Coordinates of all heavy atoms in Angstrom, one line a residue:
R1 N 31.2 -43.1 -18.6 CA 30.2 -42.2 -18.1 C 30.2 -40.9 -18.6 O 31.2 -40.2 -18.4 CB 30.1 -42.2 -16.5 CG 28.8 -41.5 -16.0 CD 28.6 -41.6 -14.5 NE 29.6 -40.6 -13.9 CZ 29.4 -40.2 -12.6 NH1 28.5 -40.7 -11.8 NH2 30.3 -39.2 -12.1
L2 N 29.2 -40.4 -19.3 CA 29.1 -39.1 -19.8 C 28.3 -38.2 -18.9 O 27.5 -38.6 -18.2 CB 28.4 -39.0 -21.2 CG 29.0 -39.9 -22.3 CD1 28.3 -39.8 -23.6 CD2 30.5 -39.8 -22.5
S3 N 28.8 -36.9 -18.8 CA 28.1 -36.0 -17.9 C 27.7 -34.8 -18.8 O 28.3 -34.4 -19.8 CB 29.0 -35.5 -16.9 OG 29.4 -36.5 -16.0
C4 N 26.6 -34.1 -18.4 CA 26.1 -32.9 -19.0 C 25.6 -32.0 -18.0 O 24.6 -32.2 -17.2 CB 24.8 -33.3 -19.9 SG 24.0 -31.8 -20.6
A5 N 26.4 -30.9 -17.7 CA 26.2 -30.0 -16.7 C 25.4 -28.8 -17.2 O 25.7 -28.2 -18.2 CB 27.5 -29.5 -16.0
A6 N 24.3 -28.4 -16.5 CA 23.5 -27.3 -16.8 C 23.9 -26.1 -16.1 O 24.1 -26.2 -14.8 CB 22.0 -27.6 -16.7
S7 N 23.9 -24.9 -16.7 CA 24.2 -23.8 -15.9 C 23.3 -23.3 -14.9 O 23.6 -22.5 -13.9 CB 24.5 -22.6 -16.9 OG 23.4 -22.3 -17.7
R8 N 22.0 -23.7 -15.0 CA 21.0 -23.4 -14.0 C 20.1 -24.8 -13.8 O 20.1 -25.6 -14.7 CB 20.0 -22.3 -14.5 CG 20.7 -21.0 -14.6 CD 19.8 -19.9 -15.1 NE 20.4 -18.6 -15.0 CZ 21.2 -18.0 -15.9 NH1 21.5 -18.8 -17.0 NH2 21.6 -16.8 -15.8
N9 N 19.4 -24.7 -12.7 CA 18.5 -25.9 -12.4 C 17.3 -25.8 -13.3 O 16.4 -25.0 -13.2 CB 18.1 -25.8 -10.9 CG 17.2 -27.0 -10.5 OD1 17.2 -28.0 -11.3 ND2 16.7 -26.9 -9.4
I10 N 17.3 -26.8 -14.2 CA 16.1 -26.8 -15.2 C 15.4 -28.2 -15.1 O 14.4 -28.4 -15.9 CB 16.7 -26.6 -16.7 CG1 17.6 -27.7 -17.0 CG2 17.2 -25.3 -16.8 CD1 18.0 -27.7 -18.5
F11 N 15.9 -29.1 -14.3 CA 15.4 -30.5 -14.3 C 13.9 -30.5 -13.8 O 13.3 -31.6 -13.9 CB 16.3 -31.4 -13.5 CG 17.7 -31.5 -14.1 CD1 18.7 -31.8 -13.3 CD2 17.8 -31.4 -15.5 CE1 20.0 -31.9 -13.9 CE2 19.1 -31.5 -16.0 CZ 20.2 -31.7 -15.2
S12 N 13.4 -29.5 -13.1 CA 12.1 -29.5 -12.6 C 11.1 -29.5 -13.6 O 9.9 -29.9 -13.4 CB 11.9 -28.4 -11.6 OG 12.0 -27.1 -12.2
I13 N 11.4 -28.9 -14.8 CA 10.4 -28.8 -15.9 C 10.8 -29.4 -17.3 O 10.0 -29.8 -18.1 CB 10.1 -27.3 -16.2 CG1 11.3 -26.5 -16.4 CG2 9.3 -26.8 -14.9 CD1 11.0 -25.1 -16.9
Y14 N 12.2 -29.5 -17.5 CA 12.7 -30.0 -18.8 C 12.9 -31.5 -18.8 O 13.2 -32.2 -17.9 CB 14.1 -29.4 -19.0 CG 14.1 -28.0 -19.5 CD1 13.7 -26.9 -18.7 CD2 14.4 -27.8 -20.9 CE1 13.7 -25.6 -19.2 CE2 14.4 -26.4 -21.4 CZ 14.1 -25.4 -20.5 OH 14.0 -24.1 -21.0
T15 N 12.5 -32.0 -20.0 CA 12.8 -33.4 -20.4 C 14.3 -33.4 -20.9 O 14.6 -32.7 -21.8 CB 11.9 -34.0 -21.4 OG1 10.6 -34.1 -20.8 CG2 12.3 -35.4 -21.8
M16 N 15.1 -34.3 -20.4 CA 16.5 -34.4 -20.8 C 16.7 -35.7 -21.6 O 16.2 -36.7 -21.3 CB 17.4 -34.5 -19.5 CG 17.3 -33.3 -18.5 SD 17.6 -31.7 -19.3 CE 19.3 -31.9 -19.7
N17 N 17.6 -35.5 -22.6 CA 17.8 -36.5 -23.6 C 19.3 -36.6 -23.9 O 20.0 -35.7 -23.9 CB 17.0 -36.3 -24.8 CG 15.6 -35.9 -24.6 OD1 14.8 -36.8 -24.3 ND2 15.2 -34.6 -24.6
W18 N 19.7 -37.9 -24.4 CA 20.9 -38.1 -25.1 C 20.7 -38.5 -26.5 O 19.8 -39.4 -26.8 CB 21.7 -39.2 -24.3 CG 22.3 -38.7 -23.0 CD1 21.9 -39.0 -21.8 CD2 23.5 -38.0 -22.9 NE1 22.7 -38.4 -20.9 CE2 23.7 -37.8 -21.5 CE3 24.5 -37.4 -23.8 CZ2 24.7 -37.1 -20.9 CZ3 25.5 -36.6 -23.2 CH2 25.7 -36.5 -21.8
Y19 N 21.4 -37.9 -27.4 CA 21.4 -38.4 -28.8 C 22.8 -38.6 -29.2 O 23.7 -38.3 -28.6 CB 20.8 -37.3 -29.7 CG 19.3 -37.0 -29.6 CD1 18.9 -36.2 -28.6 CD2 18.5 -37.5 -30.5 CE1 17.4 -36.0 -28.5 CE2 17.1 -37.3 -30.5 CZ 16.7 -36.5 -29.4 OH 15.3 -36.3 -29.3
R20 N 23.0 -39.4 -30.4 CA 24.3 -39.6 -30.9 C 24.3 -39.6 -32.3 O 23.3 -39.8 -33.0 CB 24.8 -40.9 -30.4 CG 24.2 -42.1 -30.9 CD 24.7 -43.4 -30.3 NE 24.1 -44.7 -30.8 CZ 24.3 -45.9 -30.3 NH1 25.2 -46.0 -29.3 NH2 23.7 -46.9 -30.9
Q21 N 25.5 -39.2 -32.9 CA 25.6 -39.2 -34.4 C 26.9 -39.8 -34.8 O 28.0 -39.3 -34.4 CB 25.4 -37.8 -35.0 CG 25.5 -37.7 -36.5 CD 25.1 -36.3 -36.9 OE1 25.2 -35.3 -36.2 NE2 24.6 -36.2 -38.2
A22 N 26.9 -40.9 -35.5 CA 28.1 -41.5 -36.1 C 28.5 -40.9 -37.4 O 27.6 -40.4 -38.1 CB 27.8 -43.1 -36.2
P23 N 29.7 -41.0 -37.7 CA 30.1 -40.5 -39.1 C 29.3 -41.0 -40.2 O 29.1 -42.2 -40.4 CB 31.6 -40.9 -39.2 CG 32.0 -41.0 -37.8 CD 30.8 -41.6 -37.1
G24 N 28.8 -40.1 -41.1 CA 28.0 -40.5 -42.2 C 26.5 -41.0 -42.0 O 25.9 -41.4 -42.9
K25 N 26.1 -40.8 -40.7 CA 24.8 -41.3 -40.4 C 24.0 -40.0 -39.7 O 24.6 -39.1 -39.3 CB 24.8 -42.4 -39.3 CG 25.4 -43.7 -39.9 CD 25.2 -44.8 -38.9 CE 25.7 -46.1 -39.5 NZ 25.6 -47.2 -38.6
Q26 N 22.7 -40.2 -39.7 CA 21.8 -39.2 -39.1 C 21.9 -39.3 -37.5 O 22.2 -40.3 -37.0 CB 20.4 -39.4 -39.5 CG 20.2 -39.1 -41.0 CD 18.7 -39.3 -41.4 OE1 17.8 -39.6 -40.6 NE2 18.4 -38.9 -42.7
R27 N 21.6 -38.2 -36.9 CA 21.5 -38.2 -35.4 C 20.4 -39.1 -35.0 O 19.3 -39.1 -35.5 CB 21.4 -36.8 -34.9 CG 21.5 -36.7 -33.5 CD 21.4 -35.2 -33.0 NE 22.5 -34.4 -33.6 CZ 22.7 -33.1 -33.3 NH1 21.9 -32.4 -32.6 NH2 23.7 -32.5 -33.9
E28 N 20.6 -39.9 -34.0 CA 19.7 -40.8 -33.4 C 19.4 -40.7 -32.0 O 20.3 -40.3 -31.3 CB 20.0 -42.2 -33.8 CG 21.2 -42.8 -33.0 CD 21.5 -44.2 -33.3 OE1 20.5 -45.0 -33.7 OE2 22.6 -44.7 -33.1
F29 N 18.2 -41.0 -31.6 CA 17.9 -41.0 -30.1 C 18.5 -42.1 -29.4 O 18.6 -43.2 -29.9 CB 16.3 -41.0 -30.1 CG 15.9 -41.3 -28.7 CD1 15.7 -40.3 -27.7 CD2 15.4 -42.6 -28.3 CE1 15.3 -40.6 -26.4 CE2 15.0 -42.9 -27.0 CZ 14.9 -41.8 -26.0
V30 N 19.0 -41.8 -28.1 CA 19.6 -42.7 -27.3 C 18.8 -43.0 -26.1 O 18.5 -44.2 -25.7 CB 21.0 -42.3 -26.9 CG1 21.6 -43.3 -26.0 CG2 21.9 -42.2 -28.2
A31 N 18.5 -41.9 -25.3 CA 17.8 -42.2 -24.0 C 17.2 -40.9 -23.6 O 17.5 -39.8 -24.0 CB 18.8 -42.6 -22.9
T32 N 16.1 -41.0 -22.8 CA 15.4 -39.8 -22.2 C 15.1 -40.0 -20.8 O 14.8 -41.1 -20.3 CB 14.1 -39.5 -23.1 OG1 13.6 -38.2 -22.7 CG2 13.1 -40.6 -22.9
I33 N 14.9 -38.8 -20.1 CA 14.4 -38.9 -18.7 C 13.6 -37.7 -18.5 O 14.0 -36.5 -18.8 CB 15.5 -39.0 -17.7 CG1 15.0 -39.1 -16.2 CG2 16.5 -37.9 -17.8 CD1 16.0 -39.5 -15.2
T34 N 12.4 -37.8 -18.0 CA 11.5 -36.7 -17.8 C 11.7 -36.1 -16.4 O 12.5 -36.6 -15.6 CB 10.0 -37.1 -17.8 OG1 9.7 -37.9 -16.7 CG2 9.7 -37.9 -19.1
S35 N 11.1 -34.9 -16.2 CA 11.3 -34.3 -14.9 C 10.7 -35.1 -13.7 O 11.1 -34.9 -12.6 CB 10.6 -32.9 -14.9 OG 9.1 -33.0 -15.1
G36 N 9.8 -36.0 -14.1 CA 9.2 -36.9 -13.1 C 10.0 -38.2 -12.9 O 9.7 -39.0 -12.0
G37 N 11.1 -38.3 -13.7 CA 11.9 -39.5 -13.5 C 11.7 -40.7 -14.5 O 12.4 -41.7 -14.4
S38 N 10.7 -40.6 -15.4 CA 10.4 -41.7 -16.3 C 11.5 -41.7 -17.3 O 12.0 -40.7 -17.8 CB 9.1 -41.4 -17.0 OG 8.0 -41.5 -16.0
T39 N 12.0 -43.0 -17.7 CA 13.0 -43.1 -18.7 C 12.6 -44.0 -19.8 O 11.7 -44.8 -19.7 CB 14.2 -43.8 -18.0 OG1 13.9 -45.1 -17.4 CG2 14.8 -42.9 -16.8
N40 N 13.3 -43.8 -20.9 CA 13.1 -44.7 -22.1 C 14.4 -44.7 -22.9 O 15.2 -43.8 -22.8 CB 11.9 -44.1 -23.0 CG 11.5 -45.1 -24.0 OD1 11.6 -46.3 -23.8 ND2 10.9 -44.7 -25.1
Y41 N 14.6 -45.8 -23.6 CA 15.8 -46.0 -24.3 C 15.7 -46.5 -25.7 O 14.6 -47.3 -26.0 CB 16.8 -47.0 -23.6 CG 17.1 -46.7 -22.2 CD1 16.3 -47.0 -21.1 CD2 18.3 -46.0 -21.9 CE1 16.6 -46.6 -19.8 CE2 18.6 -45.6 -20.6 CZ 17.8 -45.9 -19.5 OH 18.1 -45.6 -18.3
A42 N 16.6 -46.2 -26.6 CA 16.6 -46.8 -27.9 C 16.9 -48.3 -27.7 O 17.6 -48.8 -26.8 CB 17.7 -46.2 -28.8

């Protein structure tokens, strides 16, 4: 389980995402969650 801590409360307006980058490859989208709670995944 990975965690990402924000220094301030931003989740009311920001869309939060996870990306990843393997050696020698471009950064790719992994997952997203909107301020309203909608999610999507690669």
Side-chain angles (χ1 to χ4, degrees):
R1 188 177 76 163
L2 306 182
S3 299
C4 173
S7 58
R8 292 179 175 84
N9 184 11
I10 62 173
F11 298 151
S12 62
I13 57 173
Y14 280 71
T15 294
M16 304 300 298
N17 311 278
W18 287 99
Y19 289 81
R20 68 185 183 186
Q21 186 169 23
K25 295 187 176 181
Q26 295 183 353
R27 186 174 300 182
E28 66 174 341
F29 167 80
V30 175
T32 188
I33 183 168
T34 69
S35 60
S38 298
T39 60
N40 195 27
Y41 300 88

